[in-house]
Amino acid sequence: MTRIDSFKSIIDKYEVVFFDAFGVLKNYGGLLPGIENTFAYLQEQGKEYYIVTNDASRSPVQLAESYTSKGLMAITPDRIISSGMLTKEYLDLKVNDGIVAYLGTPDSAHYIDSSGLHTLPISEVNESNIDRVNALVFLDDEGFDWGRDLNKSVNLMRKRTIPAIVANTDQAYPLTKHDVSIAIGGLASMIEKIVGKAFIRFGKPDSQMFMFAYDLLRERRAISKKDIVMVGDTLQTDILGGNKFGLDTVLVLSGNTQAKDAENRITSTGIVPTYICDSAVVELGGFAF
Amino acid sequence: MTRIDSFKSIIDKYEVVFFDAFGVLKNYGGLLPGIENTFAYLQEQGKEYYIVTNDASRSPVQLAESYTSKGLMAITPDRIISSGMLTKEYLDLKVNDGIVAYLGTPDSAHYIDSSGLHTLPISEVNESNIDRVNALVFLDDEGFDWGRDLNKSVNLMRKRTIPAIVANTDQAYPLTKHDVSIAIGGLASMIEKIVGKAFIRFGKPDSQMFMFAYDLLRERRAISKKDIVMVGDTLQTDILGGNKFGLDTVLVLSGNTQAKDAENRITSTGIVPTYICDSAVVELGGFAF
Amino acid sequence: MTRIDSFKSIIDKYEVVFFDAFGVLKNYGGLLPGIENTFAYLQEQGKEYYIVTNDASRSPVQLAESYTSKGLMAITPDRIISSGMLTKEYLDLKVNDGIVAYLGTPDSAHYIDSSGLHTLPISEVNESNIDRVNALVFLDDEGFDWGRDLNKSVNLMRKRTIPAIVANTDQAYPLTKHDVSIAIGGLASMIEKIVGKAFIRFGKPDSQMFMFAYDLLRERRAISKKDIVMVGDTLQTDILGGNKFGLDTVLVLSGNTQAKDAENRITSTGIVPTYICDSAVVELGGFAF
Amino acid sequence: MTRIDSFKSIIDKYEVVFFDAFGVLKNYGGLLPGIENTFAYLQEQGKEYYIVTNDASRSPVQLAESYTSKGLMAITPDRIISSGMLTKEYLDLKVNDGIVAYLGTPDSAHYIDSSGLHTLPISEVNESNIDRVNALVFLDDEGFDWGRDLNKSVNLMRKRTIPAIVANTDQAYPLTKHDVSIAIGGLASMIEKIVGKAFIRFGKPDSQMFMFAYDLLRERRAISKKDIVMVGDTLQTDILGGNKFGLDTVLVLSGNTQAKDAENRITSTGIVPTYICDSAVVELGGFAF
């Protein structure tokens, strides 16, 4: 289990690679140095890849730009599967009309706009429109006043029997090398407990994220779960979710899980990756000649 | 919300119907009187149907026999999706060799037999074979000695870093009109809490159950989630899971949720079905002429 | 159980009455009309009484003023036991020096000032003083910026191995007839879950609140638990805590628990009061002549 | 924090010592070698001591015999405070008549016998007497058939609105050096979750255990919490409970917490003892003239 594998040799065994984003492809300081080699190798070898991310703060187009603007041209919008996309699918299928109140930035809300639905920041919900609010969506921890708008969310959910959708299941996320920030998933858990209702969650480790990527993949080609490997830095989301969906999994030590803690955490959580690698970077010498 | 809809008029709006089993098709006393009319109507109208059940105690063949032996010939094994089938898929994909220890009856274990794997009751795990045990599966609350074997399961999970799979997420199930029994899902939750590891759960409301049925369906025909309706008697499993997967849902009042409690439970849980019906029985006069 | 008892006849059976404050003595609109009769009767009959409240936002002196300024002179500071008093006792006993960081108003912090300790709003914790912070106290949901200071609290608890004390265990509290507000206890629960450490909680239903009142009482006179009755409007705090401490309990229907819900809630929670009364108001005709 | 203190020098600073039992005074193999020196030193120095234990399986008389029969004569019944004693006090104060059903051995039940109450094993509850059952008590994990009687307990609590008392809050306990056993507290937690009612728990870390000992002590002499130190091997019960009650605390490394894990566990749980010692054994040379 503590064996460190070569990421390149792992790629060679599979047809498709799913990548988590933060802690795998990028970090506080920007892109992981050398990560472009990985995608060059994937393309050279004719392998498919998807980015599977618990990020509902921006659209795939905006997410892709954050890579291409830094020179990683391989991350195109059609390669990105985000929990925000599942939220949009849910709203399309299940909420037919009225207002969708949200917590998040205007960018995050624009993305879930759907025919027949009107998005409204929770701050603008009031007595005149509350009866038309047919869903509450938790998108991002930014873009609203916590003190005022978390309380408004509690009272909206007490007054209206409507679905609450949590588009990012993380409880916290790393902000700098030393500090974390409470994520929208953590705020939503608090509100769910206070109002006592069952919220709907999208995002790893939930299978629906993997299924969404798998479905897109099968539209292009015949594929078995045995041909796909999931790469992530977090046991509780990337590895647990990948394992449960039936995929082989790679824990990389470039993010949330540090080399010195990996074995302890695997033993104490019981979440076991198929492989452990220092990072998802393919060494240049490995394939260039 | 408290409107009671006609089940026949609901069927007319969809191409495919997913049914929960207990509390919907059958009950303590056997089959729901008249439920055969529903399947006659479905077949007459050329609609598809699946039984989606949190039951890992028997194989689809055995489950189907429990209907056909009572005269409901429409429930064939290929129409049944059980959480046991997901467990088997997981073992096929993720556990390559060694012993799978289990809690449950021999019937439940026979069903998860997989090439390369040897199933063993937890009672037979001992010092000579424990190092070859590569998974623990919770299948059924019967077939083992609770006092001895729940403790053996705790100690197995403390000693081995292996996946524990819970093939039925229910905490309890109705035994008679007045009594319930603790389900294997309730026993597994206790053990998970004591050992502090993350167990893998299959069964509604988890999306993977619905995805499995949806995939089978798509092998036969093109279908959209908008064309499928899920019918169940339990808000927290059938309705929550169906909603989250993007399906329209019908709460029937013939099982866990009684007519007098339905509105209160919907409001307090926030789990809202698309429709409410007395039962899934189609009245004969409704289509026979 | 659904029998409605006369509050005056209950007083007659006990030597001492413990009262919850909000929902029992006062409400959104101010004092409960007629509640002064109750205290006149208690004094006439030579009965003792204490107010036992999960309120750490103000000192007993300030809390008492909120009653006496409205004409209820019977509520003197020495009759008030608050969860803030237990927090102060904890700091006196267990934190010997350094800084106590807090979330709450300056009023709430002034109250926990203790010899040798310096209180500091969490907003003023920074790299130059963090190493001297020896406790974090959650006092009130007002007096700080939620977005900034909840995140600062998370990071403080990740960096320092120090006790976190929650001086009010309520998850939410009523703000108006229709709206609630998230309480500091709800915010603290979210942070506890994110940092994964065990916080120390004071406030009903915890026994330490009742013990504190009981000890004060015993300093004045010999008394048995059988001679004390606890009066409250909330099953999960007042009644559960009183029962567990061994006291008889009265549920009043003037606050959180409404008459129409009382029986259902008692049955579903299993928290059973000894008596149920419309309110803690003693009818005037009952003793004046 | 990782400093190892001399247990004798700690005793010298306090007037009273509270000891946990298992892991502190005794272990799988019997009494801790040399522990008799500790009590000889306490008596020589005129210090008071109490054993504060989450053990409801036997009476204080029987518990004391388990020490005196092995030669440790200092542990007399009046020195033992068990969670069973709090259960008995609760029944005396709050349950006036009828039947108390229990899970445990006859020994554990005999101990809670109270005037006016009739104890009955849960296995003997049936339709003819269920209406007279006024409490259910979880005493011990032995003495009953888990498969039959845990289900009977669930159905009793669904049918009767009565208090359920958990006399031992531990989830599991060590059976041998390598194996643990599920404790009655773990079984009770499962049943509480299934029936959805609030059970009443006695035992560390709950303050009521410490209060009971503190009250007995104060009957003998004037004492302040500052003069008492609590000694235990488990952070979540002994140390958390002692800290919360306002006592100084000693973590000993002779039981649940091993030397190699102590620092990690303190940091990750945030439960900080005042001192850490190898064990509660006082070295002989340390006090002989």
Side-chain angles (χ1 to χ4, degrees):
Chain A
M1 195 162 50
T2 48
R3 175 194 75 253
I4 299 292
D5 300 284
S6 145
F7 190 67
K8 181 170 167 293
S9 71
I10 294 169
I11 289 180
D12 291 342
K13 297 184 200 164
Y14 297 88
E15 297 300 309
V16 181
V17 186
F18 288 173
F19 292 95
D20 177 40
F22 203 87
V24 178
L25 307 182
K26 59 184 176 182
N27 223 311
Y28 329 96
L31 292 182
L32 237 70
I35 195 69
E36 64 277 9
N37 298 339
T38 299
F39 290 91
Y41 185 66
L42 285 165
Q43 289 173 331
E44 189 194 82
Q45 300 291 322
K47 310 279 185 176
E48 296 260 19
Y49 55 89
Y50 281 97
I51 317 303
V52 181
T53 175
N54 282 4
D55 188 337
S57 69
R58 288 174 292 174
S59 71
V61 169
Q62 291 170 311
L63 288 170
E65 278 170 5
S66 75
Y67 296 93
T68 53
S69 67
K70 287 170 190 147
L72 184 54
M73 311 312 289
I75 314 294
T76 47
D78 60 314
R79 297 289 183 174
I80 296 180
I81 314 295
S82 79
S83 48
M85 293 165 73
L86 275 83
T87 303
K88 182 169 168 48
E89 186 198 36
Y90 176 90
L91 294 173
D92 285 347
L93 285 165
K94 294 287 295 178
V95 182
N96 300 317
D97 52 31
I99 296 167
V100 174
Y102 70 89
L103 292 98
T105 60
D107 263 2
S108 64
H110 178 69
Y111 168 43
I112 60 161
D113 274 348
S114 187
S115 59
L117 294 177
H118 176 55
T119 52
L120 195 72
I122 183 76
S123 61
E124 295 180 21
V125 172
N126 57 42
E127 283 192 18
S128 76
N129 58 28
I130 190 170
D131 287 341
R132 282 175 288 137
V133 176
N134 287 333
L136 173 65
V137 186
F138 295 85
L139 292 166
D140 197 0
D141 61 291
E142 297 188 347
F144 61 94
D145 180 305
W146 286 24
R148 179 193 61 199
D149 293 341
L150 295 175
N151 278 315
K152 288 199 81 164
S153 301
V154 166
N155 286 302
L156 171 63
M157 291 307 297
R158 291 174 67 244
K159 291 171 184 172
R160 298 275 297 142
T161 302
I162 55 174
I165 300 100
V166 187
N168 178 338
T169 51
D170 296 348
Q171 301 289 307
Y173 63 93
L175 199 64
T176 67
K177 188 164 180 187
H178 299 294
D179 286 328
V180 302
S181 177
I182 301 171
I184 188 68
L187 298 171
S189 292
M190 173 180 67
I191 292 173
E192 186 179 28
K193 188 179 166 195
I194 288 172
V195 302
K197 298 187 173 181
F199 288 10
I200 288 175
R201 283 190 163 61
F202 294 113
K204 294 169 285 181
D206 189 74
S207 303
Q208 223 156 323
M209 279 291 282
F210 295 95
M211 177 174 27
F212 201 99
Y214 187 52
D215 270 1
L216 282 185
L217 194 60
R218 288 189 294 177
E219 285 173 15
R220 299 188 182 188
R221 53 181 294 183
I223 193 79
S224 148
K225 288 183 181 181
K226 281 199 172 284
D227 300 322
I228 308 173
V229 67
M230 169 73 203
V231 184
D233 69 323
T234 309
L235 290 170
Q236 284 81 358
T237 54
D238 305 314
I239 307 306
L240 178 60
N243 283 347
K244 187 186 168 200
F245 192 67
L247 308 184
D248 283 351
T249 48
V250 184
L251 178 71
V252 291
L253 305 174
S254 52
N256 269 329
T257 310
Q258 295 185 287
K260 67 181 174 61
D261 302 324
E263 187 166 1
N264 260 344
R265 290 208 190 169
I266 289 168
T267 308
S268 67
T269 61
I271 305 171
V272 188
T274 317
Y275 312 96
I276 301 177
C277 291
D278 283 324
S279 81
V281 172
V282 168
E283 298 300 325
L284 253 186
F287 67 99
F289 47 91
Chain B
M1 191 162 49
T2 49
R3 178 193 74 251
I4 299 292
D5 299 284
S6 144
F7 191 67
K8 181 170 168 295
S9 71
I10 294 169
I11 289 181
D12 291 343
K13 296 184 201 165
Y14 296 88
E15 297 300 309
V16 182
V17 186
F18 288 174
F19 292 94
D20 178 40
F22 203 88
V24 177
L25 307 182
K26 59 183 175 181
N27 222 311
Y28 328 98
L31 294 182
L32 236 70
I35 195 69
E36 64 278 10
N37 298 339
T38 300
F39 290 91
Y41 185 67
L42 285 164
Q43 289 173 332
E44 188 195 84
Q45 299 290 321
K47 311 278 185 178
E48 295 261 19
Y49 55 89
Y50 282 96
I51 318 302
V52 180
T53 175
N54 283 3
D55 188 338
S57 68
R58 288 174 292 176
S59 72
V61 169
Q62 291 170 309
L63 287 170
E65 279 171 3
S66 74
Y67 297 93
T68 53
S69 68
K70 287 170 190 144
L72 184 55
M73 310 311 288
I75 314 292
T76 48
D78 60 314
R79 297 289 182 172
I80 295 180
I81 314 295
S82 79
S83 48
M85 293 165 72
L86 274 84
T87 303
K88 181 169 168 49
E89 186 198 36
Y90 176 90
L91 294 173
D92 285 345
L93 285 165
K94 295 287 296 177
V95 182
N96 300 316
D97 52 32
I99 296 168
V100 175
Y102 69 89
L103 293 98
T105 60
D107 264 1
S108 63
H110 178 67
Y111 168 44
I112 59 160
D113 274 350
S114 188
S115 59
L117 294 177
H118 175 55
T119 53
L120 196 71
I122 182 76
S123 60
E124 294 180 22
V125 172
N126 57 41
E127 282 192 20
S128 76
N129 58 28
I130 190 169
D131 287 341
R132 281 174 290 135
V133 176
N134 287 334
L136 173 64
V137 186
F138 295 84
L139 292 166
D140 197 0
D141 61 291
E142 297 187 346
F144 61 94
D145 180 304
W146 286 25
R148 179 194 62 198
D149 292 340
L150 295 176
N151 279 317
K152 287 198 80 162
S153 301
V154 166
N155 286 303
L156 172 62
M157 290 308 297
R158 290 173 67 247
K159 290 171 184 171
R160 297 276 296 146
T161 302
I162 56 174
I165 300 100
V166 186
N168 178 339
T169 51
D170 296 347
Q171 300 289 307
Y173 63 92
L175 200 64
T176 68
K177 188 165 179 186
H178 299 294
D179 286 330
V180 302
S181 178
I182 301 172
I184 188 68
L187 297 171
S189 291
M190 174 180 67
I191 292 172
E192 186 180 27
K193 187 179 165 193
I194 288 171
V195 302
K197 297 186 174 182
F199 288 10
I200 288 175
R201 285 188 161 63
F202 294 113
K204 296 168 287 181
D206 189 73
S207 303
Q208 223 155 325
M209 280 290 282
F210 295 95
M211 178 173 27
F212 200 99
Y214 187 53
D215 270 359
L216 282 187
L217 193 60
R218 287 189 295 179
E219 286 173 14
R220 299 186 181 191
R221 53 181 294 185
I223 194 78
S224 151
K225 289 183 181 179
K226 280 200 173 286
D227 298 322
I228 308 172
V229 68
M230 169 72 204
V231 183
D233 68 324
T234 308
L235 290 170
Q236 283 80 359
T237 53
D238 305 315
I239 307 303
L240 179 60
N243 283 348
K244 188 187 167 197
F245 192 66
L247 307 183
D248 284 349
T249 47
V250 184
L251 178 71
V252 290
L253 305 175
S254 53
N256 269 330
T257 310
Q258 295 185 287
K260 67 180 173 64
D261 302 326
E263 187 167 358
N264 260 346
R265 289 208 192 168
I266 290 169
T267 308
S268 69
T269 60
I271 305 170
V272 189
T274 318
Y275 312 96
I276 302 179
C277 292
D278 283 324
S279 81
V281 172
V282 167
E283 300 298 327
L284 255 186
F287 66 96
F289 49 90
Chain C
M1 193 163 50
T2 49
R3 177 193 76 251
I4 299 292
D5 299 284
S6 146
F7 190 66
K8 182 169 167 295
S9 70
I10 294 169
I11 289 181
D12 290 343
K13 295 184 203 164
Y14 296 88
E15 297 299 311
V16 182
V17 186
F18 288 174
F19 292 95
D20 177 40
F22 204 88
V24 177
L25 308 183
K26 60 184 176 180
N27 224 311
Y28 328 100
L31 294 182
L32 237 71
I35 194 69
E36 64 277 10
N37 297 339
T38 299
F39 290 91
Y41 185 67
L42 285 165
Q43 288 173 334
E44 189 194 81
Q45 299 291 321
K47 311 279 186 178
E48 294 260 19
Y49 54 89
Y50 281 97
I51 317 304
V52 180
T53 174
N54 281 4
D55 188 338
S57 70
R58 287 174 293 175
S59 71
V61 169
Q62 291 170 311
L63 288 170
E65 278 170 4
S66 74
Y67 296 94
T68 52
S69 68
K70 286 168 190 148
L72 185 54
M73 310 311 289
I75 314 293
T76 47
D78 60 314
R79 297 288 183 173
I80 297 180
I81 315 296
S82 79
S83 48
M85 293 164 72
L86 275 83
T87 303
K88 181 169 168 48
E89 186 199 36
Y90 176 90
L91 294 173
D92 286 345
L93 285 166
K94 294 287 297 178
V95 182
N96 299 316
D97 52 31
I99 295 168
V100 175
Y102 70 89
L103 294 97
T105 60
D107 264 0
S108 63
H110 178 66
Y111 168 43
I112 59 161
D113 274 348
S114 188
S115 60
L117 295 177
H118 176 55
T119 53
L120 195 72
I122 182 77
S123 60
E124 295 180 19
V125 172
N126 57 43
E127 283 193 20
S128 77
N129 58 30
I130 190 169
D131 287 340
R132 281 174 289 137
V133 177
N134 286 335
L136 173 64
V137 185
F138 295 84
L139 292 166
D140 197 1
D141 61 291
E142 298 189 345
F144 61 93
D145 181 304
W146 286 25
R148 178 194 61 199
D149 293 339
L150 295 175
N151 279 317
K152 286 199 79 164
S153 301
V154 166
N155 286 303
L156 172 62
M157 291 306 298
R158 290 173 67 247
K159 290 172 184 170
R160 297 276 295 144
T161 303
I162 56 174
I165 300 101
V166 187
N168 177 338
T169 50
D170 296 347
Q171 301 289 307
Y173 62 93
L175 199 63
T176 67
K177 188 164 180 186
H178 299 294
D179 286 330
V180 302
S181 177
I182 300 171
I184 188 69
L187 298 171
S189 291
M190 173 179 68
I191 292 173
E192 186 179 27
K193 187 179 166 194
I194 289 171
V195 301
K197 298 188 174 181
F199 288 10
I200 288 175
R201 284 189 162 61
F202 294 113
K204 296 167 287 181
D206 188 74
S207 303
Q208 222 155 326
M209 279 290 281
F210 295 95
M211 178 173 27
F212 201 98
Y214 187 54
D215 270 0
L216 282 185
L217 193 60
R218 287 189 295 178
E219 287 174 11
R220 298 187 183 191
R221 54 180 294 184
I223 194 79
S224 150
K225 288 182 179 181
K226 281 201 173 281
D227 299 323
I228 307 173
V229 67
M230 169 73 203
V231 184
D233 68 322
T234 309
L235 290 170
Q236 283 82 357
T237 55
D238 306 313
I239 307 305
L240 178 60
N243 283 348
K244 188 187 166 198
F245 192 65
L247 308 184
D248 283 351
T249 48
V250 184
L251 178 71
V252 290
L253 305 174
S254 53
N256 268 331
T257 311
Q258 294 185 287
K260 66 179 174 61
D261 302 326
E263 188 166 358
N264 261 344
R265 290 209 192 167
I266 289 169
T267 308
S268 69
T269 61
I271 305 170
V272 188
T274 317
Y275 312 96
I276 302 178
C277 292
D278 284 325
S279 81
V281 172
V282 168
E283 300 300 326
L284 253 189
F287 66 99
F289 47 89
Chain D
M1 193 162 49
T2 48
R3 178 193 72 252
I4 299 291
D5 300 283
S6 144
F7 190 66
K8 180 169 168 295
S9 70
I10 294 169
I11 289 180
D12 290 341
K13 296 184 202 164
Y14 297 88
E15 296 299 311
V16 182
V17 186
F18 289 175
F19 292 94
D20 177 39
F22 203 88
V24 177
L25 308 183
K26 58 183 176 181
N27 222 312
Y28 330 97
L31 293 182
L32 237 71
I35 195 69
E36 65 279 9
N37 298 339
T38 299
F39 290 92
Y41 186 65
L42 285 165
Q43 289 173 331
E44 186 193 83
Q45 300 290 321
K47 310 278 185 177
E48 296 260 18
Y49 54 89
Y50 283 97
I51 318 303
V52 181
T53 174
N54 282 3
D55 187 338
S57 70
R58 288 173 292 174
S59 71
V61 169
Q62 290 170 311
L63 288 171
E65 279 170 4
S66 75
Y67 296 93
T68 53
S69 68
K70 286 170 192 147
L72 184 53
M73 311 311 289
I75 313 292
T76 48
D78 59 315
R79 297 289 182 173
I80 296 180
I81 315 295
S82 79
S83 49
M85 292 165 73
L86 275 82
T87 303
K88 180 168 170 49
E89 187 199 35
Y90 176 88
L91 295 173
D92 286 346
L93 285 166
K94 295 288 295 178
V95 182
N96 300 315
D97 52 31
I99 295 167
V100 174
Y102 69 90
L103 293 98
T105 60
D107 264 0
S108 63
H110 178 68
Y111 169 43
I112 59 161
D113 274 348
S114 187
S115 59
L117 295 176
H118 177 56
T119 52
L120 196 72
I122 183 76
S123 61
E124 295 180 21
V125 172
N126 57 42
E127 282 193 20
S128 76
N129 58 27
I130 190 170
D131 287 340
R132 281 175 289 136
V133 176
N134 286 334
L136 173 65
V137 185
F138 295 84
L139 292 166
D140 197 1
D141 62 291
E142 298 189 344
F144 61 95
D145 181 303
W146 287 24
R148 178 194 62 197
D149 293 340
L150 295 175
N151 279 316
K152 287 199 80 164
S153 301
V154 166
N155 286 302
L156 172 62
M157 290 308 297
R158 289 174 67 247
K159 291 170 184 173
R160 298 276 296 144
T161 303
I162 56 173
I165 300 100
V166 186
N168 179 339
T169 51
D170 296 348
Q171 301 290 307
Y173 63 93
L175 200 63
T176 68
K177 187 164 181 186
H178 299 295
D179 286 331
V180 302
S181 177
I182 301 172
I184 188 68
L187 298 171
S189 291
M190 173 180 67
I191 292 173
E192 185 178 30
K193 187 179 166 192
I194 289 171
V195 301
K197 297 187 174 182
F199 287 10
I200 288 175
R201 283 188 163 63
F202 294 114
K204 296 168 286 179
D206 189 73
S207 303
Q208 223 155 322
M209 280 290 280
F210 294 96
M211 180 173 24
F212 201 98
Y214 188 51
D215 270 0
L216 282 185
L217 194 58
R218 288 189 296 177
E219 286 173 13
R220 299 188 182 188
R221 54 181 294 185
I223 194 81
S224 149
K225 289 184 180 179
K226 280 200 172 286
D227 299 322
I228 307 173
V229 67
M230 169 72 204
V231 184
D233 68 324
T234 308
L235 290 170
Q236 284 81 359
T237 53
D238 305 316
I239 307 305
L240 178 60
N243 282 349
K244 189 189 166 198
F245 192 65
L247 307 183
D248 283 350
T249 49
V250 184
L251 178 71
V252 291
L253 305 174
S254 53
N256 269 330
T257 310
Q258 295 185 287
K260 68 180 172 60
D261 303 325
E263 187 166 0
N264 260 345
R265 290 208 190 167
I266 289 168
T267 308
S268 68
T269 61
I271 304 171
V272 188
T274 317
Y275 313 96
I276 301 178
C277 292
D278 284 325
S279 81
V281 172
V282 168
E283 300 299 327
L284 254 188
F287 68 97
F289 54 91

